[in-house]
């Protein structure tokens, strides 16, 4: 069993839609949770970072963590064509010297 | 302020050859991690360097080795290349509890 599983997609939505991206993880030792966005042929770019259960909001993006269910989500409101990218969840056991464990990514296309 | 830089951008090698990839961390960062990202997959942790020593290592064979220099830049070396080593190699830098910044990657193709 992989340590983190991500809904594989691909996902295609119309502009303005709310997007939900999801991951589950298997080990409660993971305490830190991140979402990265990766455009084609580029390196991952950090979008959201959290270490507690609950919601964290940043503009159109909301990260949700449920440690009891080992479930993490990223919501994108009012999606834009520029949001079209691959979204990667990542988890870590520690808050420093992090060894990130990534999901396999969900490819999102927002249609104008 | 330059972010994480990697060179070369793209590299083509044949099976059995050796390759060296280079990474310069973001200014002020002292920790460098390397990841391998196969096509359609998430990045996989190879190893991490801090104070010129390998601090953590993922599940990669000894053919993968690295080095960190006093200026915190780093190299990733892969010996006896296999077709399966074809991937995007990503370098990430950090400092203490600060978050990782990733470079654009080096795309390695093994023929």
């Amino acid at each position: 069993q992989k340590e983190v599983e991500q809904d594989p997609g691909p996902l295609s939505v119309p502009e303005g839609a709310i997007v939900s991206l999801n991951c589950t993880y298997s080990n409660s030792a993971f305490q830190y949770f991140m979402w990265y966005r990766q455009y084609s042929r580029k390196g991952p770019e950090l979008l959201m970072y959290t270490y507690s259960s609950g919601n964290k909001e940043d503009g159109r993006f909301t990260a949700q963590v449920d440690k009891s269910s080992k479930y993490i989500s990223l919501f994108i409101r009012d999606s834009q064509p520029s949001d079209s990218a691959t979204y990667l969840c990542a988890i870590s056991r520690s808050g420093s010297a992090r060894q990130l464990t990534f999901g396999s990514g969900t490819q999102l296309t927002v249609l104008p | 302020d330059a972010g994480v830089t990697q060179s070369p951008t793209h590299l083509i090698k044949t099976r059995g050859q050796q390759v060296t990839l280079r990474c310069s961390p973001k200014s002020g960062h002292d920790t460098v991690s390397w990841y391998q990202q196969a096509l359609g997959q998430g990045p996989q942790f190879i190893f991490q360097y801090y104070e010129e020593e390998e601090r953590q290592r993922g599940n990669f064979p000894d053919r993968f080795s690295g080095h960190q220099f006093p200026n915190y830049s780093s190299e990733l070396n892969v010996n006896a290349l296999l077709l399966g080593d074809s991937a995007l190699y990503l370098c990430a830098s950090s400092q203490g509890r600060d978050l990782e910044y990733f470079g654009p990657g080096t795309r390695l193709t093994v023929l």
Side-chain angles (χ1 to χ4, degrees), chain A residues 2 32 34 36 38 41-44 46 49 88 95-100 102-104, chain B residues 35 37 40-43 45 48 55-56 88 90 96-100 102-104 107:
Chain A
K2 287 185 178 180
Y32 298 85
M34 288 138 282
Y36 285 84
Q38 186 174 28
R41 299 186 175 276
K42 301 287 186 184
L46 180 68
Y49 167 71
L88 297 155
S96 62
R98 277 175 288 266
Q99 174 179 330
L100 302 179
F102 282 87
S104 56
Chain B
Y35 290 80
Q37 186 176 23
Q41 299 297 315
F45 178 79
Q48 183 180 85
R55 181 159 64 176
Q56 300 183 75
L88 180 68
L90 295 161
R97 298 182 73 88
D98 288 349
L99 297 171
E100 287 76 14
F102 281 83
R107 185 162 299 279

Side-chain angles (χ1 to χ4, degrees), chain B residues 15-99:
Chain B
R15 280 179 294 175
Q17 285 189 311
Q18 178 264 342
V19 69
T20 298
L21 310 181
R22 295 176 176 82
C23 171
S24 290
K26 181 177 168 61
S27 178
H29 286 186
D30 59 5
T31 302
V32 173
S33 301
W34 287 92
Y35 290 80
Q36 180 196 64
Q37 186 176 23
L39 195 62
Q41 299 297 315
Q44 280 194 286
F45 178 79
I46 303 175
F47 43 53
Q48 183 180 85
Y49 276 84
Y50 172 70
E51 292 189 340
E52 302 181 50
E53 296 210 350
E54 183 182 292
R55 181 159 64 176
Q56 300 183 75
R57 188 177 184 95
N59 189 26
F60 278 80
D62 292 345
R63 298 187 298 109
F64 290 78
S65 63
H67 188 78
Q68 186 179 34
F69 299 93
N71 67 354
Y72 309 120
S73 66
S74 177
E75 288 182 348
L76 164 65
N77 301 293
V78 187
N79 293 324
L81 284 167
L82 304 173
L83 295 179
D85 294 332
S86 295
L88 180 68
Y89 287 85
L90 295 161
C91 169
S93 72
S94 60
Q95 165 84 29
R97 298 182 73 88
D98 288 349
L99 297 171

Side-chain angles (χ1 to χ4, degrees), chain A:
Chain A
Q1 182 189 8
K2 287 185 178 180
E3 290 188 297
V4 58
E5 300 271 5
Q6 183 168 0
D7 291 349
L11 194 57
S12 184
V13 301
E15 184 175 353
I18 296 174
V19 176
S20 172
L21 303 166
N22 306 294
C23 290
T24 59
Y25 61 98
S26 58
N27 192 330
S28 58
F30 290 112
Q31 297 289 319
Y32 298 85
F33 309 95
M34 288 138 282
W35 283 95
Y36 285 84
R37 177 174 62 194
Q38 186 174 28
Y39 292 112
S40 181
R41 299 186 175 276
K42 301 287 186 184
E45 169 195 13
L46 180 68
L47 281 177
M48 301 288 286
Y49 167 71
T50 183
Y51 56 88
S52 57
S53 281
N55 293 350
K56 181 177 181 180
E57 191 173 315
D58 184 2
R60 297 185 295 111
F61 298 91
T62 300
Q64 188 175 81
V65 175
D66 183 345
K67 288 186 177 181
S68 62
S69 303
K70 300 186 183 65
Y71 195 85
I72 59 176
S73 299
L74 178 71
F75 298 95
I76 307 174
R77 291 184 300 280
D78 187 25
S79 56
Q80 303 294 311
S82 58
D83 295 328
S84 298
T86 296
Y87 289 80
L88 297 155
C89 62
I91 56 179
S92 172
R93 287 181 169 84
S94 66
S96 62
R98 277 175 288 266
Q99 174 179 330
L100 302 179
T101 300
F102 282 87
S104 56
T106 301
Q107 187 177 346
L108 170 67
T109 300
V110 180
L111 303 170

